[in-house]
Amino acid sequence: MKICVYGASSNQIDHAYLQAGEALGLAMAKRGHSLVFGGGANGLMGATARGMTAGSGEIIGVAPRFFDADGVLYLHCTEFIYTETMRERKAIMEEQAEAFIMTPGGIGT
């Protein structure tokens, strides 16, 4: 199942949340699920992706081209879909996913 995970893109959150994000990604990978996410390398997005990588899971990142700067995007995605706008990003994430998980985040979540 392709699961979209929404969450914080900032590392300025309690470390316990980041650990939980990695555990979530690892658990998803071990169960054979795929991750669809906003493509970020930091915060809960990056933590979940790192967990998926540790479990050798499929990772589909989706982000606007203007986020393509050093350190912003997660570099170990199985597939990366670039968009022109934030709205297009969310639409593609919604189209790709079969289920959704919301973790702590800001206004985008």
Side-chain angles (χ1 to χ4, degrees):
M1 176 182 299
K2 290 182 179 178
I3 302 173
C4 181
V5 177
Y6 287 103
S9 61
S10 171
N11 286 327
Q12 302 301 313
I13 57 175
D14 191 297
H15 188 68
Y17 290 114
L18 298 174
Q19 288 178 317
E22 283 195 40
L24 171 64
L26 183 59
M28 286 171 51
K30 285 185 174 183
R31 287 172 176 79
H33 299 302
S34 299
L35 170 66
V36 177
F37 81 123
N42 300 305
L44 289 172
M45 281 197 283
T48 305
R50 286 190 299 277
M52 287 293 291
T53 297
S56 300
E58 178 186 35
I59 305 169
I60 302 166
V62 183
R65 290 196 183 281
F66 57 82
F67 279 3
D68 194 8
D70 289 344
V72 174
L73 299 179
Y74 189 70
L75 301 178
H76 305 287
C77 294
T78 310
E79 176 184 357
F80 212 100
I81 301 168
Y82 288 98
T83 66
E84 296 304 318
T85 66
M86 293 292 281
R87 179 61 205 133
E88 183 183 4
R89 175 196 202 191
K90 291 241 177 168
I92 289 173
M93 290 166 66
E94 291 168 7
E95 290 168 6
Q96 291 280 322
E98 300 167 281
F100 298 85
I101 297 175
M102 308 308 173
T103 63
I107 193 163
T109 301

